[in-house]
Amino acid sequence: MCSIINKARPVHRALALTLRLRTNTEGSSYAAADRGHFSPCGGADVDPLRAASRRYCSRMALSQGLLFRQLFEPESSTYTYLLADTSTKEAVLIDPVLEPLDRALTLLHELGFNLKVAVNTHCHADHITSTGLMKKRLAGLKSAISKFSGASADIHLSEGDKITFGKQYLTVVETPGHTDGCVTLVTGDRSMAFTGDALLIRGCGRTDFQQGSAKKLYQSIHQKIFTLPDHCLIYPGHDYKGQTASTVAEERKFNPRLTKSLEEFVDIMNNLNLPKPKKIGMTSHFLYGPVTSYALLITIGVVLPLLLHHFFFSLREDGKDICTIRFITLYCCECLRI
């Protein structure tokens, strides 16, 4: 969708973006610590060479028979997580990103895993999910996302649902605030929590667009994530400073925003003044599918001009200047042409 808009005239682009349908795609520009410097993505200033060097991380999972891989995408500083049952070879992928799609597929092939579910922790606004393309290349793969996300998927998740792969499973914990459809995925032994953009390492997701609510986010983290065991490892959706993991105990004690009161937290979040994510206009096509995206363009480029044409020419009976009205109508049609 975005590629079409980019080729249009500036006025077309402005109108299309203004009228864009359901921009509740995932957003993930984040701020650094409250007294730190802010990057366009909201993280603290980071050495680009250091960030670009991170691609792949592995650790021994606490659950017996559970393989874990942490993959890094440097452009959006996004983490993708692969978990697999080593006995049955069934696997799940959390927050897959479009750009390194082949890398993920290669790793699955090399390790001999059968990817069962690709799950998004929320609708992303700073990168494009690869779930749709992955489904075309892997037979039987199911997509999953929260039922409150507004996005299309094979599986719509709710609080307490379990995503099973072999003898392992992830429990769905609803953690709205960054978006209405944010979820945290917790391993069966509660040793790992994949928090998406709700809780970051010494930070949290922004709350200034796509159904964001600072109050909801504060309550979600304190009531749903900080109540997990102290040793539970936190794996976020992003990190801009080279950090790969934290723990519940660490974030409860050291997170510069979430150690504040609710009122202080809301005030901090309401005054971050962050720019919108660069790819927010591209993600709706991949999360909501081509039908919804192209329906939007048809509405803007065809239906709306026809309605304007009918409206202006209906004024003929009122003695209006038909030439002027016709010019306005044709101009609108030209600006909104697909």
Side-chain angles (χ1 to χ4, degrees):
M1 179 180 72
C2 191
S3 61
I4 296 175
I5 294 176
N6 285 337
K7 295 178 183 177
R9 293 176 174 83
V11 64
H12 180 184
R13 191 179 306 117
L15 287 168
L17 291 174
T18 301
L19 297 171
R20 184 170 55 232
L21 179 66
R22 296 192 306 178
T23 56
N24 59 336
T25 57
E26 77 135 206
S28 302
S29 289
Y30 309 105
D34 305 317
R35 292 183 296 275
H37 298 289
F38 297 109
S39 71
C41 291
D45 290 342
V46 56
D47 182 350
L49 294 177
R50 182 183 180 190
S53 67
R54 288 184 294 141
R55 293 292 190 281
Y56 183 98
C57 181
S58 173
R59 67 174 287 274
M60 293 298 294
L62 298 182
S63 297
Q64 185 176 5
L66 176 65
L67 179 137
F68 168 81
R69 294 288 187 272
Q70 182 183 50
L71 309 176
F72 181 70
E73 195 282 305
E75 183 181 353
S76 58
S77 297
T78 301
Y79 285 125
T80 294
Y81 299 98
L82 171 66
L83 293 93
D85 186 309
T86 56
S87 59
T88 66
K89 299 294 184 179
E90 290 186 345
V92 298
L93 202 61
I94 300 172
D95 288 335
V97 184
L98 181 64
E99 286 81 2
L101 170 62
D102 290 334
R103 177 189 61 180
L105 294 178
T106 299
L107 180 61
L108 287 165
H109 176 74
E110 290 174 346
L111 299 179
F113 291 138
N114 173 30
L115 187 59
K116 185 177 179 182
V117 180
V119 54
N120 284 284
T121 55
H122 65 295
C123 286
H124 310 281
D126 64 340
H127 69 265
I128 302 171
T129 179
S130 63
T131 306
L133 293 178
M134 200 169 278
K135 287 178 61 178
K136 294 180 180 180
R137 296 173 62 174
L138 295 176
L141 175 63
K142 300 292 185 182
S143 59
I145 198 169
S146 167
K147 68 178 182 179
F148 296 111
S149 67
S152 59
D154 299 310
I155 304 170
H156 283 109
L157 303 170
S158 300
E159 177 80 21
D161 286 350
K162 288 181 171 54
I163 301 172
T164 60
F165 51 106
K167 300 176 183 177
Q168 311 293 332
Y169 66 88
L170 295 169
T171 300
V172 176
V173 178
E174 293 175 350
T175 49
H178 173 59
T179 72
D180 281 346
C182 283
V183 298
T184 290
L185 303 171
V186 183
T187 55
D189 62 356
R190 304 215 300 172
S191 65
M192 294 187 285
F194 302 90
T195 56
D197 292 3
L199 177 62
L200 306 179
I201 299 174
R202 307 300 192 266
C204 63
R206 62 191 291 176
T207 59
D208 59 333
F209 68 101
Q210 58 177 51
Q211 317 115 18
S213 168
K215 182 178 180 180
K216 281 185 180 180
L217 182 60
Y218 187 91
Q219 293 172 337
S220 292
I221 294 174
H222 277 269
Q223 296 173 11
K224 299 289 190 69
I225 299 177
F226 283 176
T227 54
L228 292 169
D230 286 353
H231 66 269
C232 180
L233 291 165
I234 298 297
Y235 288 102
H238 298 270
D239 189 83
Y240 306 97
K241 298 194 291 184
Q243 303 165 116
T244 58
S246 183
T247 67
V248 168
E250 280 184 36
E251 294 308 311
R252 194 191 298 124
K253 184 176 181 180
F254 300 118
N255 193 296
R257 296 180 190 168
L258 293 157
T259 50
K260 302 288 195 294
S261 68
L262 173 59
E263 292 74 18
E264 291 172 316
F265 177 80
V266 170
D267 183 65
I268 290 170
M269 300 305 292
N270 288 343
N271 291 282
L272 293 179
N273 300 316
L274 299 174
K276 290 294 187 289
K278 294 179 180 179
K279 295 188 178 182
I280 189 170
M282 300 175 65
T283 52
S284 62
H285 175 80
F286 289 85
L287 280 168
Y288 298 115
V291 174
T292 302
S293 300
Y294 287 122
L296 168 63
L297 290 178
I298 291 172
T299 300
I300 294 174
V302 179
V303 178
L304 182 58
L306 289 175
L307 290 175
L308 289 172
H309 186 276
H310 174 75
F311 171 74
F312 285 133
F313 276 86
S314 69
L315 296 176
R316 178 180 302 191
E317 297 178 357
D318 296 332
K320 303 294 184 182
D321 185 347
I322 299 303
C323 292
T324 301
I325 293 171
R326 183 170 187 131
F327 173 80
I328 295 173
T329 303
L330 293 175
Y331 179 78
C332 291
C333 292
E334 181 69 17
C335 289
L336 293 170
R337 181 184 296 171
I338 297 179

Coordinates of all heavy atoms in Angstrom, one line a residue, residues 4 31 45-46 48 102 129 133 135 159 182 218 231 251 261 298-299 315 317 334:
I4 N 2.4 2.4 -3.3 CA 1.4 3.1 -4.2 C 1.3 4.5 -3.8 O 1.3 5.4 -4.6 CB 0.0 2.4 -4.1 CG1 0.2 0.9 -4.7 CG2 -1.0 3.2 -5.0 CD1 -1.1 0.1 -4.5
A31 N 11.2 5.9 24.0 CA 12.2 6.9 24.6 C 13.2 6.1 25.4 O 12.9 5.0 25.9 CB 11.4 7.9 25.4
D45 N 20.6 7.0 22.8 CA 21.6 7.0 21.7 C 22.4 5.8 21.7 O 22.9 5.3 22.8 CB 22.6 8.2 21.9 CG 21.8 9.5 21.7 OD1 20.8 9.5 21.0 OD2 22.4 10.6 22.1
V46 N 22.6 5.2 20.6 CA 23.3 3.9 20.5 C 24.3 3.9 19.4 O 24.1 4.5 18.3 CB 22.3 2.7 20.3 CG1 21.5 3.0 19.0 CG2 22.9 1.4 20.2
P48 N 25.8 2.8 16.2 CA 25.2 2.0 15.2 C 26.0 0.8 14.8 O 25.5 -0.2 14.4 CB 25.1 3.0 14.0 CG 26.1 4.0 14.3 CD 26.1 4.1 15.8
D102 N 14.4 -14.7 5.2 CA 15.2 -15.9 4.7 C 16.1 -16.4 5.8 O 16.3 -17.6 5.9 CB 16.0 -15.5 3.5 CG 15.1 -15.3 2.3 OD1 14.1 -15.9 2.2 OD2 15.6 -14.5 1.4
T129 N 5.7 -7.2 9.7 CA 5.7 -8.6 10.1 C 5.9 -9.4 8.9 O 5.4 -9.1 7.8 CB 4.5 -9.0 10.9 OG1 4.5 -10.4 11.2 CG2 3.2 -8.8 10.0
L133 N 4.0 -13.6 4.5 CA 4.9 -14.2 3.5 C 5.4 -15.6 3.9 O 5.6 -16.5 3.2 CB 6.0 -13.3 3.2 CG 5.7 -12.0 2.5 CD1 7.0 -11.1 2.3 CD2 5.0 -12.3 1.1
K135 N 3.7 -17.7 5.7 CA 2.7 -18.7 5.5 C 2.6 -19.2 4.1 O 2.2 -20.4 3.8 CB 1.3 -18.1 5.9 CG 1.1 -17.9 7.4 CD -0.2 -17.2 7.7 CE -1.4 -18.1 7.2 NZ -2.7 -17.5 7.5
E159 N -6.8 -13.9 27.0 CA -6.1 -14.1 28.3 C -6.2 -15.6 28.6 O -7.3 -16.2 28.6 CB -6.8 -13.3 29.3 CG -6.2 -13.5 30.7 CD -4.9 -12.8 31.0 OE1 -4.6 -11.8 30.3 OE2 -4.2 -13.2 32.0
C182 N -1.9 -5.7 22.9 CA -0.6 -6.2 23.3 C -0.8 -7.4 24.2 O -1.7 -7.5 25.1 CB 0.1 -5.1 24.1 SG 0.9 -3.9 23.0
Y218 N 0.7 1.0 32.7 CA 1.3 0.9 34.0 C 0.6 -0.2 34.8 O 1.3 -1.0 35.5 CB 1.0 2.3 34.7 CG 1.7 2.4 36.1 CD1 3.0 2.9 36.2 CD2 1.0 2.0 37.2 CE1 3.5 3.1 37.5 CE2 1.6 2.2 38.5 CZ 2.8 2.7 38.6 OH 3.4 2.8 39.9
H231 N 12.9 -14.2 39.2 CA 14.0 -14.7 38.3 C 13.5 -14.8 36.9 O 14.3 -15.1 36.0 CB 14.5 -16.1 38.8 CG 13.4 -17.2 38.7 ND1 12.5 -17.5 39.7 CD2 13.1 -18.0 37.7 CE1 11.7 -18.4 39.3 NE2 12.0 -18.8 38.1
E251 N 13.7 -5.1 36.6 CA 12.9 -4.1 36.1 C 12.0 -3.5 37.2 O 11.7 -2.3 37.2 CB 12.0 -4.6 34.9 CG 12.8 -5.0 33.7 CD 13.7 -3.9 33.2 OE1 13.3 -2.8 33.1 OE2 14.9 -4.2 33.0
S261 N 5.2 6.6 40.6 CA 3.8 6.4 40.9 C 3.0 6.4 39.6 O 3.6 6.9 38.6 CB 3.3 7.5 41.8 OG 3.3 8.8 41.2
I298 N -9.3 2.0 -2.9 CA -10.4 2.1 -3.8 C -11.4 3.1 -3.3 O -12.0 4.0 -4.0 CB -11.1 0.8 -4.0 CG1 -10.1 -0.1 -4.8 CG2 -12.4 0.9 -4.8 CD1 -10.6 -1.6 -4.9
T299 N -11.6 3.1 -2.0 CA -12.5 4.1 -1.4 C -12.1 5.5 -1.6 O -12.8 6.4 -1.9 CB -12.7 3.8 0.1 OG1 -13.2 2.5 0.3 CG2 -13.6 4.8 0.8
L315 N -25.8 20.5 -7.2 CA -26.0 21.9 -6.9 C -26.4 22.7 -8.1 O -26.7 23.9 -8.0 CB -24.7 22.5 -6.3 CG -24.2 21.9 -5.0 CD1 -22.9 22.6 -4.6 CD2 -25.3 22.1 -3.9
E317 N -29.1 22.9 -9.7 CA -30.5 23.4 -9.5 C -30.5 24.7 -8.7 O -31.4 25.5 -8.8 CB -31.4 22.4 -8.9 CG -31.6 21.1 -9.8 CD -32.5 20.1 -9.1 OE1 -32.9 20.4 -8.0 OE2 -32.8 19.1 -9.7
E334 N -8.4 14.0 -9.6 CA -7.0 13.9 -10.0 C -6.1 13.6 -8.8 O -5.2 12.8 -8.8 CB -6.6 15.1 -10.8 CG -5.1 15.1 -11.2 CD -4.9 14.1 -12.3 OE1 -5.9 13.6 -12.9 OE2 -3.7 13.7 -12.6

